[in-house]
Each structure stands twice: as C-alpha cells, then as structure tokens.
Amino acid sequence: MKRSEFDRVYKENTAFTYREALYETKNAALAEDITQEVFLKLYINIEDIREDEVKSWLRTVAKNTARSYFRKAAHYQETNLDDLVDFLIKEEDLSDPGNKQNHSEFEEKVMDALYEYNKEWYYLIREIKIKKRSYNEVAAELGISRNNLGVKLHRAKDWLIANFGKEAKDMGIL
C-alpha cells in the first residue's frame, strides 16, 4: 500500500481496531491508547502491507500490543505500588510530632483531593494501601482483572505525582 492511502485506511478501520483493542483490554482508555499505537505502527509499515491484509494485520497488531502492555504492566505494577506506598504512607522521620502532624495533614489533603477527582482511584488506594487488602481480593470485588487494577493504580499514582509531587518533595515525604 502507499503512504497516501493512510488517511482512508485510518478512517475505514479506526472503529474496528478500537473494538479489537477493547475486546483484549476491557478498558476504554487503554483501548484508545492501543488503537493510536497500532495506527502509528501502520503508518510506519504501510508500504510493506497489502491492501487485502490490512484488517488481519490491524487485528493481530492490536492483540499483540495489548498483550505486550499487560506483560509490561504485570512486571511494573509491584514497583508502582511500592512507589505509591512511599508517597502516601512514608513512616520515616515521623518521630518528631511536628513532622507527624504535617504528614497526616498532607496525607488527608491528598486523599481528599483524590476522592474529589476520582472516587474509584480513592477506593483502590484506600483498600490496598491503608486497609492492606490484596490486589486479587480488591480486583475480584470490583469484577476487574488484576492487570486492570494495576493500570488504574498506575494512573492514580501518575495523577498524584503530577498534582502533589513537588509539595511532597518539599516536605521530604517523596
């Protein structure tokens, strides 16, 4: 196929590719990301793909991209969880009552903001970090996969770092 045909192929196959990615991930935001990545790969490789192979190529790449994402997420989710624990519930240097008070106020401020922004993320962090429930237990309760739970926690962590990271560093919490 020629690069000039990309726009047409994109318009004709975006919904199809999104459905394939959604089927694999069961997560709309992740399916959108995967769809975007699949079409980037198509743009790069378009001259090597025949017109009659486009749909099967898109399906295969969407499936493989989703599976690759979950392999990476499974590998990194424990690390991300540890980062989140350190961010929210860091116990060092809390022997000084002033530090303990500042940390408690900051933790309350962070959790309140998280509750206002995304109640699901708040619930996940509360259950896993504060109540010390397992990933599997919380995922089963919510009817989602453990990998999907890891994705949600990763997004929550990114939001927390973006919104409170500088303040946490200034306080010596992060």
Side-chain angles (χ1 to χ4, degrees):
M1 247 182 344
K2 295 180 179 160
R3 194 165 308 280
S4 60
E5 296 178 76
F6 178 81
D7 287 343
R8 177 188 57 80
V9 171
Y10 177 81
K11 288 175 186 172
E12 291 174 0
N13 293 286
T14 304
F16 166 78
T17 305
Y18 173 79
R19 282 191 307 274
E20 293 295 317
L22 186 60
Y23 176 79
E24 290 293 326
T25 64
K26 313 295 189 257
N27 179 301
L30 185 53
E32 288 174 11
D33 291 347
I34 288 171
T35 300
Q36 182 178 14
E37 189 171 334
V38 167
F39 279 100
L40 177 61
K41 290 175 182 179
L42 175 66
Y43 186 80
I44 292 168
N45 296 294
I46 198 162
E47 293 175 354
D48 298 329
I49 302 166
R50 291 191 341 236
E51 179 76 30
D52 60 332
E53 296 176 334
V54 171
K55 278 209 188 261
S56 63
W57 188 91
L58 291 169
R59 178 182 291 119
T60 301
V61 173
K63 180 172 65 172
N64 290 341
T65 303
R67 289 179 180 172
S68 176
Y69 175 84
F70 285 126
R71 275 193 305 274
K72 290 175 186 172
H75 176 72
Y76 289 111
Q77 72 186 10
E78 293 302 327
T79 302
N80 291 336
L81 188 57
D82 291 342
D83 292 345
L84 195 54
V85 170
D86 290 344
F87 179 72
L88 289 174
I89 309 171
K90 187 172 182 182
E91 296 298 332
E92 50 193 69
D93 298 327
L94 295 182
S95 56
D96 175 16
N99 285 347
K100 192 171 193 168
Q101 176 68 27
N102 287 342
H103 182 271
S104 295
E105 289 172 4
F106 180 69
E107 185 177 333
E108 185 176 338
K109 175 181 166 180
V110 167
M111 292 302 285
D112 287 348
L114 184 60
Y115 181 82
E116 289 300 317
Y117 182 74
N118 187 313
K119 289 175 179 53
E120 182 180 38
W121 292 350
Y122 169 85
Y123 178 78
L124 295 175
I125 291 171
R126 186 188 72 197
E127 294 301 304
I128 291 170
K129 304 313 318 123
I130 297 169
K131 293 187 176 181
K132 307 287 188 208
R133 292 179 63 198
S134 74
Y135 271 63
N136 292 337
E137 184 182 6
V138 175
E141 177 184 319
L142 295 175
I144 61 175
S145 71
R146 189 173 190 276
N147 284 337
N148 187 258
L149 178 68
V151 169
K152 290 174 188 274
L153 283 171
H154 179 76
R155 288 182 177 163
K157 179 200 137 206
D158 287 348
W159 183 85
L160 288 168
I161 297 295
N163 287 277
F164 295 99
K166 183 180 180 332
E167 188 175 352
K169 285 179 183 175
D170 292 345
M171 293 177 66
I173 294 172
L174 183 60

